[in-house]
Amino acid sequence: MDSKKHPKGVEAHDDRITNLPDDLKSNILERLPLEEAVRTSFLSRKWRYTWASIPNLAFDVYFVKAPESTKFIDTVLLLHQGPIRKFYLSSKDLTVVPIERWILVLSRHGLEEINIRCYSMWRMPSCFFTIQSLKKVYLNDCILKLPHTFCGLKLLQFLSLDSCTISDDDFEKLVSSCPLLENLYLLFTSLRAVKINSPNLKLVKIDGFDQKYIHLITPGLIEASLSFLELSNDKIDYGNCLIDMFCSLSKIERLHLGCGVILYLKRGNNLKLPLKFDHLKELYMQLYVEDRNEATFAFSLLQNAPNLQYLRLAICPIGFDALVSIGTFWDLAMYKIVFEHLKFASIMYRGSVTESGLLPVRLLLFAAPLLEKMHIINYRKDFEFLKKLVSFKRASKEAEILLFDSVEDQYV
């Protein structure tokens, strides 16, 4: 049998993938683990440096102290050709790897996104702050100190600092020197006074242990999330500082209030908000339903959010300042609050469902004429609970109530 003839100019051992354009082959290699992509250099001469033009580098294993891991990263960065748009590194211990050398190399390749995750404290080299091509930055367990020559990151749009150490002054300068910043995440940082002056910022999330002061100059902010896990015992007026912060959220559309927020407000003896949130459409709030302070703040916020459409409450049964006549307190709210635009409500119980825990459900059903759907999560299949639920008056005849054993069940 005659052997098959190959087209002129194509060797017998070549295949269709090998003869694809380089940009398509590079696109294919991007979808492989980096180590596998590098191994394709052994296939043939045409594959030898194809991997070297991959723009996204992800070292997504927990590198140990073995020298071969460092050598592998060194080799990839040394032989890489063209731009490096994204760099991801996950490491158990960055104190033993030449991070300063790697950042220096990346600074010369048009880096746009960097994501470094580790589990031991490490220091960011000063050359990082000269990478003007950066658009997204994710860092954790990192020590950041701005060089005296820092003049901003002009293209940065996304900044996430998780368990990072940075001085209050350096943080303020960093944020104010990034004119295009739109998303800011601060998770358990060393900051005490959080000062954010960012005209284009759209989203801010602050999860912390003890932020003593939060000052926002963010006229474009549309989404905010706040949680505080611990309060110090000094006599700083947290509450009034936080009230001042709320006053800067007049255009907010989505608001997430986690644990500790109302405890801060309580210290200022001011739980009534002085302004309306006319743009607020989505609200999440953790609520100790039997606590006088929690109830006062919740009612003030709900009364001042006339255009609320989506409301999610996490109900905790026992408060810090329980009301004797909690039922009467919530009864009064039923005739003071009207949810004219509310379409969706979610009530999640953390712990057992008490008599008081049913009061927010009754309020929402009574005062939301346009309610379409209510999710009740973690209700423990209590028959008495169901009987009381059926007895509640509803302003909306179209409201559908769905019961779920857990948060995950509602998405199945």
Side-chain angles (χ1 to χ4, degrees), residues 19 47 58 83 111 124 148 163 168 180 186 197 208-209 317 329 373:
N19 288 290
W47 281 98
L111 186 67
M124 178 64 77
H148 296 299
S163 305
D168 294 350
L180 299 184
L186 300 175
N197 185 349
F209 291 115
F329 195 84
K373 187 174 292 187

Side-chain angles (χ1 to χ4, degrees), residues 115-362:
N115 189 332
I116 299 181
R117 300 180 179 276
C118 63
Y119 300 93
S120 61
M121 196 62 70
W122 59 284
R123 185 178 296 274
M124 178 64 77
S126 59
C127 61
F128 168 80
F129 298 101
T130 66
I131 309 178
Q132 291 299 320
S133 54
L134 278 172
K135 295 180 180 179
K136 294 184 178 182
V137 172
Y138 306 77
L139 301 174
N140 79 301
D141 287 296
C142 178
I143 300 172
L144 297 161
K145 183 173 177 57
L146 298 185
H148 296 299
T149 56
F150 179 70
C151 59
L153 299 173
K154 305 305 181 184
L155 299 180
L156 191 67
Q157 300 171 11
F158 187 107
L159 176 62
S160 175
L161 302 180
D162 185 352
S163 305
C164 291
T165 299
I166 184 172
S167 71
D168 294 350
D169 290 339
D170 274 0
F171 172 76
E172 183 180 3
K173 183 178 180 181
L174 173 62
V175 172
S176 62
S177 302
C178 300
L180 299 184
L181 189 64
E182 294 184 352
N183 297 274
L184 176 61
Y185 290 76
L186 300 175
L187 312 175
F188 313 114
T189 64
S190 63
L191 295 170
R192 290 295 177 262
V194 181
K195 298 179 182 179
I196 301 173
N197 185 349
S198 183
N200 290 312
L201 194 68
K202 292 181 171 57
L203 181 153
V204 62
K205 180 176 182 180
I206 301 175
D207 279 7
F209 291 115
D210 189 15
Q211 266 67 50
K212 291 182 173 64
Y213 180 76
I214 300 176
H215 179 68
L216 303 180
I217 303 177
T218 52
L221 197 68
I222 61 175
E223 183 171 354
S225 175
L226 300 172
S227 295
F228 306 111
L229 298 183
E230 182 178 312
L231 297 175
S232 66
N233 293 320
D234 53 30
K235 297 181 179 180
I236 294 176
D237 192 352
Y238 301 92
N240 287 325
C241 292
L242 210 53
I243 284 291
D244 291 341
M245 186 217 67
F246 273 104
C247 290
S248 65
L249 302 179
S250 60
K251 295 183 180 179
I252 201 81
E253 295 181 9
R254 294 180 292 276
L255 182 60
H256 181 116
L257 301 177
C259 59
V261 174
I262 300 177
L263 284 178
Y264 267 79
L265 292 168
K266 180 181 177 181
R267 291 193 173 186
N269 296 316
N270 189 354
L271 291 161
K272 295 184 179 180
L273 298 173
L275 78 162
K276 282 190 175 293
F277 297 89
D278 291 325
H279 300 272
L280 187 62
K281 296 179 181 178
E282 299 181 23
L283 172 65
Y284 168 90
M285 183 163 45
Q286 179 173 292
L287 182 63
Y288 286 91
V289 71
E290 297 175 357
D291 189 280
R292 182 187 303 273
N293 296 295
E294 303 268 339
T296 300
F297 175 79
F299 294 157
S300 177
L301 181 53
L302 293 173
Q303 280 182 312
N304 287 285
N307 296 306
L308 195 64
Q309 297 180 17
Y310 301 90
L311 175 62
R312 292 175 171 83
L313 297 177
I315 301 297
C316 304
I318 301 175
F320 299 97
D321 183 18
L323 283 166
V324 176
S325 55
I326 186 68
T328 303
F329 195 84
W330 282 85
D331 286 342
L332 292 174
M334 293 178 64
Y335 298 98
K336 290 184 177 181
I337 301 176
V338 178
F339 301 99
E340 295 182 354
H341 302 282
L342 191 68
K343 297 179 180 179
F344 174 82
S346 172
I347 308 291
M348 181 180 69
Y349 290 98
R350 292 180 173 173
S352 58
V353 182
T354 64
E355 189 81 21
S356 300
L358 284 170
L359 296 174
V361 176
R362 187 180 65 167

